[in-house]
Amino acid sequence: MWSKAARRVKGVVSVWLADRVVGAGPAPAAAGLAAVVGHVYPVWLGFRGGKGVATACGVFSVLTPLATLAALAVFLAGVWASRYVSV
């Protein structure tokens, strides 16, 4: 089973590789979307039961790093205030 860090890295690598091979434009975003969808709906689990949050975090950290930092700050503030990760 892959760890959260490994799933994040797979999201980062998919966007980075698409940017290097194809260049700017929609290709890096499409590669990131494919990586997230592939983790949410894995083939070997019958297209159910995946975990795409860590992969999405890696994708967004490459595509929009400042927005990802802002979302992380809001997430941490919510967890700190409520003591619930699901907030």
PDB file of all heavy atoms in Angstrom, residues 31-63:
ATOM      1  N   ALA A  31      -2.871  15.997 -16.868  1.00  0.00           N
ATOM      2  CA  ALA A  31      -2.105  14.919 -16.233  1.00  0.00           C
ATOM      3  C   ALA A  31      -2.419  14.850 -14.740  1.00  0.00           C
ATOM      4  O   ALA A  31      -2.544  13.760 -14.181  1.00  0.00           O
ATOM      5  CB  ALA A  31      -0.614  15.133 -16.455  1.00  0.00           C
ATOM      6  N   GLY A  32      -2.537  16.010 -14.105  1.00  0.00           N
ATOM      7  CA  GLY A  32      -2.899  16.034 -12.687  1.00  0.00           C
ATOM      8  C   GLY A  32      -4.287  15.470 -12.453  1.00  0.00           C
ATOM      9  O   GLY A  32      -4.509  14.693 -11.518  1.00  0.00           O
ATOM     10  N   LEU A  33      -5.230  15.851 -13.314  1.00  0.00           N
ATOM     11  CA  LEU A  33      -6.585  15.327 -13.198  1.00  0.00           C
ATOM     12  C   LEU A  33      -6.595  13.808 -13.377  1.00  0.00           C
ATOM     13  O   LEU A  33      -7.266  13.086 -12.624  1.00  0.00           O
ATOM     14  CB  LEU A  33      -7.497  15.983 -14.233  1.00  0.00           C
ATOM     15  CG  LEU A  33      -8.938  15.498 -14.256  1.00  0.00           C
ATOM     16  CD1 LEU A  33      -9.646  15.845 -12.955  1.00  0.00           C
ATOM     17  CD2 LEU A  33      -9.671  16.099 -15.446  1.00  0.00           C
ATOM     18  N   ALA A  34      -5.840  13.314 -14.339  1.00  0.00           N
ATOM     19  CA  ALA A  34      -5.765  11.869 -14.569  1.00  0.00           C
ATOM     20  C   ALA A  34      -5.170  11.160 -13.353  1.00  0.00           C
ATOM     21  O   ALA A  34      -5.631  10.069 -12.982  1.00  0.00           O
ATOM     22  CB  ALA A  34      -4.938  11.579 -15.818  1.00  0.00           C
ATOM     23  N   ALA A  35      -4.165  11.754 -12.732  1.00  0.00           N
ATOM     24  CA  ALA A  35      -3.566  11.133 -11.545  1.00  0.00           C
ATOM     25  C   ALA A  35      -4.564  11.074 -10.392  1.00  0.00           C
ATOM     26  O   ALA A  35      -4.674  10.046  -9.711  1.00  0.00           O
ATOM     27  CB  ALA A  35      -2.324  11.915 -11.123  1.00  0.00           C
ATOM     28  N   VAL A  36      -5.311  12.149 -10.185  1.00  0.00           N
ATOM     29  CA  VAL A  36      -6.295  12.166  -9.094  1.00  0.00           C
ATOM     30  C   VAL A  36      -7.417  11.177  -9.369  1.00  0.00           C
ATOM     31  O   VAL A  36      -7.791  10.387  -8.497  1.00  0.00           O
ATOM     32  CB  VAL A  36      -6.850  13.593  -8.882  1.00  0.00           C
ATOM     33  CG1 VAL A  36      -7.998  13.581  -7.890  1.00  0.00           C
ATOM     34  CG2 VAL A  36      -5.754  14.524  -8.400  1.00  0.00           C
ATOM     35  N   VAL A  37      -7.958  11.198 -10.581  1.00  0.00           N
ATOM     36  CA  VAL A  37      -9.043  10.270 -10.923  1.00  0.00           C
ATOM     37  C   VAL A  37      -8.561   8.820 -10.819  1.00  0.00           C
ATOM     38  O   VAL A  37      -9.292   7.947 -10.356  1.00  0.00           O
ATOM     39  CB  VAL A  37      -9.609  10.581 -12.326  1.00  0.00           C
ATOM     40  CG1 VAL A  37     -10.538   9.489 -12.809  1.00  0.00           C
ATOM     41  CG2 VAL A  37     -10.322  11.916 -12.314  1.00  0.00           C
ATOM     42  N   GLY A  38      -7.332   8.575 -11.215  1.00  0.00           N
ATOM     43  CA  GLY A  38      -6.777   7.232 -11.112  1.00  0.00           C
ATOM     44  C   GLY A  38      -6.632   6.755  -9.682  1.00  0.00           C
ATOM     45  O   GLY A  38      -6.667   5.555  -9.405  1.00  0.00           O
ATOM     46  N   HIS A  39      -6.485   7.698  -8.740  1.00  0.00           N
ATOM     47  CA  HIS A  39      -6.401   7.312  -7.334  1.00  0.00           C
ATOM     48  C   HIS A  39      -7.770   7.249  -6.671  1.00  0.00           C
ATOM     49  O   HIS A  39      -7.954   6.517  -5.707  1.00  0.00           O
ATOM     50  CB  HIS A  39      -5.488   8.277  -6.574  1.00  0.00           C
ATOM     51  CG  HIS A  39      -4.053   7.979  -6.765  1.00  0.00           C
ATOM     52  ND1 HIS A  39      -3.337   8.434  -7.845  1.00  0.00           N
ATOM     53  CD2 HIS A  39      -3.193   7.241  -6.043  1.00  0.00           C
ATOM     54  CE1 HIS A  39      -2.095   7.996  -7.767  1.00  0.00           C
ATOM     55  NE2 HIS A  39      -1.981   7.259  -6.680  1.00  0.00           N
ATOM     56  N   VAL A  40      -8.724   8.015  -7.164  1.00  0.00           N
ATOM     57  CA  VAL A  40     -10.072   7.969  -6.600  1.00  0.00           C
ATOM     58  C   VAL A  40     -10.824   6.735  -7.097  1.00  0.00           C
ATOM     59  O   VAL A  40     -11.581   6.119  -6.347  1.00  0.00           O
ATOM     60  CB  VAL A  40     -10.845   9.265  -6.945  1.00  0.00           C
ATOM     61  CG1 VAL A  40     -12.295   9.161  -6.513  1.00  0.00           C
ATOM     62  CG2 VAL A  40     -10.188  10.470  -6.288  1.00  0.00           C
ATOM     63  N   TYR A  41     -10.628   6.395  -8.365  1.00  0.00           N
ATOM     64  CA  TYR A  41     -11.301   5.250  -8.970  1.00  0.00           C
ATOM     65  C   TYR A  41     -10.284   4.247  -9.506  1.00  0.00           C
ATOM     66  O   TYR A  41     -10.127   4.093 -10.707  1.00  0.00           O
ATOM     67  CB  TYR A  41     -12.217   5.714 -10.114  1.00  0.00           C
ATOM     68  CG  TYR A  41     -13.268   6.697  -9.680  1.00  0.00           C
ATOM     69  CD1 TYR A  41     -13.179   8.025 -10.046  1.00  0.00           C
ATOM     70  CD2 TYR A  41     -14.341   6.289  -8.905  1.00  0.00           C
ATOM     71  CE1 TYR A  41     -14.134   8.934  -9.645  1.00  0.00           C
ATOM     72  CE2 TYR A  41     -15.307   7.183  -8.508  1.00  0.00           C
ATOM     73  CZ  TYR A  41     -15.202   8.515  -8.883  1.00  0.00           C
ATOM     74  OH  TYR A  41     -16.155   9.410  -8.482  1.00  0.00           O
ATOM     75  N   PRO A  42      -9.574   3.539  -8.629  1.00  0.00           N
ATOM     76  CA  PRO A  42      -8.558   2.596  -9.108  1.00  0.00           C
ATOM     77  C   PRO A  42      -9.165   1.384  -9.800  1.00  0.00           C
ATOM     78  O   PRO A  42     -10.183   0.839  -9.368  1.00  0.00           O
ATOM     79  CB  PRO A  42      -7.821   2.183  -7.832  1.00  0.00           C
ATOM     80  CG  PRO A  42      -8.786   2.434  -6.735  1.00  0.00           C
ATOM     81  CD  PRO A  42      -9.656   3.572  -7.175  1.00  0.00           C
ATOM     82  N   VAL A  43      -8.525   0.976 -10.865  1.00  0.00           N
ATOM     83  CA  VAL A  43      -9.000  -0.158 -11.654  1.00  0.00           C
ATOM     84  C   VAL A  43      -9.012  -1.434 -10.812  1.00  0.00           C
ATOM     85  O   VAL A  43      -9.971  -2.211 -10.861  1.00  0.00           O
ATOM     86  CB  VAL A  43      -8.109  -0.341 -12.905  1.00  0.00           C
ATOM     87  CG1 VAL A  43      -8.487  -1.595 -13.665  1.00  0.00           C
ATOM     88  CG2 VAL A  43      -8.182   0.878 -13.795  1.00  0.00           C
ATOM     89  N   TRP A  44      -7.975  -1.670 -10.029  1.00  0.00           N
ATOM     90  CA  TRP A  44      -7.851  -2.920  -9.288  1.00  0.00           C
ATOM     91  C   TRP A  44      -8.813  -3.018  -8.108  1.00  0.00           C
ATOM     92  O   TRP A  44      -8.929  -4.064  -7.504  1.00  0.00           O
ATOM     93  CB  TRP A  44      -6.422  -3.135  -8.809  1.00  0.00           C
ATOM     94  CG  TRP A  44      -5.898  -1.998  -8.014  1.00  0.00           C
ATOM     95  CD1 TRP A  44      -6.022  -1.793  -6.671  1.00  0.00           C
ATOM     96  CD2 TRP A  44      -5.178  -0.884  -8.515  1.00  0.00           C
ATOM     97  NE1 TRP A  44      -5.440  -0.615  -6.308  1.00  0.00           N
ATOM     98  CE2 TRP A  44      -4.904  -0.028  -7.433  1.00  0.00           C
ATOM     99  CE3 TRP A  44      -4.745  -0.505  -9.775  1.00  0.00           C
ATOM    100  CZ2 TRP A  44      -4.219   1.161  -7.571  1.00  0.00           C
ATOM    101  CZ3 TRP A  44      -4.052   0.689  -9.896  1.00  0.00           C
ATOM    102  CH2 TRP A  44      -3.795   1.495  -8.818  1.00  0.00           C
ATOM    103  N   LEU A  45      -9.549  -1.936  -7.787  1.00  0.00           N
ATOM    104  CA  LEU A  45     -10.575  -1.989  -6.747  1.00  0.00           C
ATOM    105  C   LEU A  45     -11.973  -1.867  -7.343  1.00  0.00           C
ATOM    106  O   LEU A  45     -12.918  -1.479  -6.658  1.00  0.00           O
ATOM    107  CB  LEU A  45     -10.353  -0.878  -5.715  1.00  0.00           C
ATOM    108  CG  LEU A  45      -9.101  -0.988  -4.855  1.00  0.00           C
ATOM    109  CD1 LEU A  45      -8.995   0.187  -3.907  1.00  0.00           C
ATOM    110  CD2 LEU A  45      -9.098  -2.284  -4.075  1.00  0.00           C
ATOM    111  N   GLY A  46     -12.089  -2.137  -8.623  1.00  0.00           N
ATOM    112  CA  GLY A  46     -13.388  -2.079  -9.273  1.00  0.00           C
ATOM    113  C   GLY A  46     -13.920  -0.657  -9.402  1.00  0.00           C
ATOM    114  O   GLY A  46     -15.119  -0.446  -9.349  1.00  0.00           O
ATOM    115  N   PHE A  47     -13.040   0.298  -9.553  1.00  0.00           N
ATOM    116  CA  PHE A  47     -13.377   1.716  -9.690  1.00  0.00           C
ATOM    117  C   PHE A  47     -14.097   2.260  -8.460  1.00  0.00           C
ATOM    118  O   PHE A  47     -14.893   3.186  -8.550  1.00  0.00           O
ATOM    119  CB  PHE A  47     -14.214   1.961 -10.957  1.00  0.00           C
ATOM    120  CG  PHE A  47     -13.487   1.574 -12.208  1.00  0.00           C
ATOM    121  CD1 PHE A  47     -13.816   0.414 -12.888  1.00  0.00           C
ATOM    122  CD2 PHE A  47     -12.443   2.359 -12.689  1.00  0.00           C
ATOM    123  CE1 PHE A  47     -13.137   0.044 -14.041  1.00  0.00           C
ATOM    124  CE2 PHE A  47     -11.759   1.998 -13.833  1.00  0.00           C
ATOM    125  CZ  PHE A  47     -12.104   0.847 -14.509  1.00  0.00           C
ATOM    126  N   ARG A  48     -13.774   1.735  -7.279  1.00  0.00           N
ATOM    127  CA  ARG A  48     -14.344   2.219  -6.028  1.00  0.00           C
ATOM    128  C   ARG A  48     -13.283   2.220  -4.946  1.00  0.00           C
ATOM    129  O   ARG A  48     -12.344   1.443  -4.980  1.00  0.00           O
ATOM    130  CB  ARG A  48     -15.480   1.303  -5.566  1.00  0.00           C
ATOM    131  CG  ARG A  48     -16.737   1.448  -6.367  1.00  0.00           C
ATOM    132  CD  ARG A  48     -17.782   0.526  -5.850  1.00  0.00           C
ATOM    133  NE  ARG A  48     -17.484  -0.779  -6.455  1.00  0.00           N
ATOM    134  CZ  ARG A  48     -18.026  -1.905  -6.106  1.00  0.00           C
ATOM    135  NH1 ARG A  48     -18.880  -1.937  -5.136  1.00  0.00           N
ATOM    136  NH2 ARG A  48     -17.726  -3.031  -6.715  1.00  0.00           N
ATOM    137  N   GLY A  49     -13.445   3.093  -3.977  1.00  0.00           N
ATOM    138  CA  GLY A  49     -12.658   3.030  -2.762  1.00  0.00           C
ATOM    139  C   GLY A  49     -11.269   3.622  -2.809  1.00  0.00           C
ATOM    140  O   GLY A  49     -10.428   3.277  -1.993  1.00  0.00           O
ATOM    141  N   GLY A  50     -11.022   4.529  -3.708  1.00  0.00           N
ATOM    142  CA  GLY A  50      -9.683   5.093  -3.802  1.00  0.00           C
ATOM    143  C   GLY A  50      -9.438   6.225  -2.832  1.00  0.00           C
ATOM    144  O   GLY A  50     -10.317   6.648  -2.090  1.00  0.00           O
ATOM    145  N   LYS A  51      -8.189   6.684  -2.821  1.00  0.00           N
ATOM    146  CA  LYS A  51      -7.778   7.791  -1.957  1.00  0.00           C
ATOM    147  C   LYS A  51      -7.063   8.831  -2.824  1.00  0.00           C
ATOM    148  O   LYS A  51      -5.917   8.639  -3.203  1.00  0.00           O
ATOM    149  CB  LYS A  51      -6.843   7.279  -0.861  1.00  0.00           C
ATOM    150  CG  LYS A  51      -7.493   6.290   0.055  1.00  0.00           C
ATOM    151  CD  LYS A  51      -6.531   5.819   1.109  1.00  0.00           C
ATOM    152  CE  LYS A  51      -7.233   4.861   2.047  1.00  0.00           C
ATOM    153  NZ  LYS A  51      -6.369   4.439   3.131  1.00  0.00           N
ATOM    154  N   GLY A  52      -7.749   9.893  -3.123  1.00  0.00           N
ATOM    155  CA  GLY A  52      -7.188  10.894  -4.016  1.00  0.00           C
ATOM    156  C   GLY A  52      -6.800  12.200  -3.366  1.00  0.00           C
ATOM    157  O   GLY A  52      -6.280  13.089  -4.033  1.00  0.00           O
ATOM    158  N   VAL A  53      -7.028  12.360  -2.068  1.00  0.00           N
ATOM    159  CA  VAL A  53      -6.762  13.642  -1.414  1.00  0.00           C
ATOM    160  C   VAL A  53      -5.274  13.967  -1.412  1.00  0.00           C
ATOM    161  O   VAL A  53      -4.875  15.090  -1.742  1.00  0.00           O
ATOM    162  CB  VAL A  53      -7.338  13.652   0.017  1.00  0.00           C
ATOM    163  CG1 VAL A  53      -6.953  14.926   0.741  1.00  0.00           C
ATOM    164  CG2 VAL A  53      -8.843  13.509  -0.017  1.00  0.00           C
ATOM    165  N   ALA A  54      -4.442  13.031  -1.063  1.00  0.00           N
ATOM    166  CA  ALA A  54      -2.999  13.277  -1.033  1.00  0.00           C
ATOM    167  C   ALA A  54      -2.461  13.545  -2.440  1.00  0.00           C
ATOM    168  O   ALA A  54      -1.618  14.420  -2.631  1.00  0.00           O
ATOM    169  CB  ALA A  54      -2.257  12.106  -0.402  1.00  0.00           C
ATOM    170  N   THR A  55      -2.976  12.821  -3.417  1.00  0.00           N
ATOM    171  CA  THR A  55      -2.552  13.034  -4.795  1.00  0.00           C
ATOM    172  C   THR A  55      -2.984  14.416  -5.266  1.00  0.00           C
ATOM    173  O   THR A  55      -2.214  15.129  -5.915  1.00  0.00           O
ATOM    174  CB  THR A  55      -3.143  11.956  -5.716  1.00  0.00           C
ATOM    175  OG1 THR A  55      -2.786  10.675  -5.198  1.00  0.00           O
ATOM    176  CG2 THR A  55      -2.621  12.090  -7.128  1.00  0.00           C
ATOM    177  N   ALA A  56      -4.209  14.815  -4.937  1.00  0.00           N
ATOM    178  CA  ALA A  56      -4.695  16.147  -5.303  1.00  0.00           C
ATOM    179  C   ALA A  56      -3.853  17.233  -4.652  1.00  0.00           C
ATOM    180  O   ALA A  56      -3.567  18.262  -5.276  1.00  0.00           O
ATOM    181  CB  ALA A  56      -6.157  16.299  -4.916  1.00  0.00           C
ATOM    182  N   CYS A  57      -3.426  17.006  -3.428  1.00  0.00           N
ATOM    183  CA  CYS A  57      -2.555  17.972  -2.753  1.00  0.00           C
ATOM    184  C   CYS A  57      -1.241  18.137  -3.511  1.00  0.00           C
ATOM    185  O   CYS A  57      -0.757  19.255  -3.701  1.00  0.00           O
ATOM    186  CB  CYS A  57      -2.299  17.528  -1.316  1.00  0.00           C
ATOM    187  SG  CYS A  57      -1.274  18.656  -0.376  1.00  0.00           S
ATOM    188  N   GLY A  58      -0.667  17.048  -3.962  1.00  0.00           N
ATOM    189  CA  GLY A  58       0.564  17.127  -4.746  1.00  0.00           C
ATOM    190  C   GLY A  58       0.358  17.823  -6.072  1.00  0.00           C
ATOM    191  O   GLY A  58       1.174  18.638  -6.491  1.00  0.00           O
ATOM    192  N   VAL A  59      -0.762  17.535  -6.742  1.00  0.00           N
ATOM    193  CA  VAL A  59      -1.067  18.170  -8.025  1.00  0.00           C
ATOM    194  C   VAL A  59      -1.243  19.671  -7.843  1.00  0.00           C
ATOM    195  O   VAL A  59      -0.656  20.481  -8.565  1.00  0.00           O
ATOM    196  CB  VAL A  59      -2.332  17.541  -8.658  1.00  0.00           C
ATOM    197  CG1 VAL A  59      -2.829  18.359  -9.831  1.00  0.00           C
ATOM    198  CG2 VAL A  59      -2.052  16.116  -9.092  1.00  0.00           C
ATOM    199  N   PHE A  60      -2.056  20.053  -6.863  1.00  0.00           N
ATOM    200  CA  PHE A  60      -2.311  21.474  -6.648  1.00  0.00           C
ATOM    201  C   PHE A  60      -1.071  22.219  -6.170  1.00  0.00           C
ATOM    202  O   PHE A  60      -0.913  23.402  -6.455  1.00  0.00           O
ATOM    203  CB  PHE A  60      -3.453  21.676  -5.663  1.00  0.00           C
ATOM    204  CG  PHE A  60      -4.790  21.293  -6.218  1.00  0.00           C
ATOM    205  CD1 PHE A  60      -5.651  20.491  -5.486  1.00  0.00           C
ATOM    206  CD2 PHE A  60      -5.194  21.710  -7.473  1.00  0.00           C
ATOM    207  CE1 PHE A  60      -6.878  20.129  -5.990  1.00  0.00           C
ATOM    208  CE2 PHE A  60      -6.418  21.355  -7.991  1.00  0.00           C
ATOM    209  CZ  PHE A  60      -7.270  20.560  -7.244  1.00  0.00           C
ATOM    210  N   SER A  61      -0.178  21.547  -5.451  1.00  0.00           N
ATOM    211  CA  SER A  61       1.033  22.216  -4.981  1.00  0.00           C
ATOM    212  C   SER A  61       1.951  22.608  -6.123  1.00  0.00           C
ATOM    213  O   SER A  61       2.733  23.555  -6.009  1.00  0.00           O
ATOM    214  CB  SER A  61       1.784  21.346  -3.972  1.00  0.00           C
ATOM    215  OG  SER A  61       2.323  20.210  -4.603  1.00  0.00           O
ATOM    216  N   VAL A  62       1.857  21.904  -7.253  1.00  0.00           N
ATOM    217  CA  VAL A  62       2.649  22.259  -8.431  1.00  0.00           C
ATOM    218  C   VAL A  62       1.905  23.268  -9.298  1.00  0.00           C
ATOM    219  O   VAL A  62       2.477  24.240  -9.773  1.00  0.00           O
ATOM    220  CB  VAL A  62       3.014  21.008  -9.265  1.00  0.00           C
ATOM    221  CG1 VAL A  62       3.711  21.387 -10.547  1.00  0.00           C
ATOM    222  CG2 VAL A  62       3.882  20.078  -8.456  1.00  0.00           C
ATOM    223  N   LEU A  63       0.595  23.045  -9.497  1.00  0.00           N
ATOM    224  CA  LEU A  63      -0.180  23.915 -10.375  1.00  0.00           C
ATOM    225  C   LEU A  63      -0.431  25.288  -9.755  1.00  0.00           C
ATOM    226  O   LEU A  63      -0.336  26.304 -10.454  1.00  0.00           O
ATOM    227  CB  LEU A  63      -1.518  23.257 -10.732  1.00  0.00           C
ATOM    228  CG  LEU A  63      -1.457  22.021 -11.617  1.00  0.00           C
ATOM    229  CD1 LEU A  63      -2.851  21.438 -11.793  1.00  0.00           C
ATOM    230  CD2 LEU A  63      -0.838  22.345 -12.965  1.00  0.00           C
TER     231      LEU A  63
END
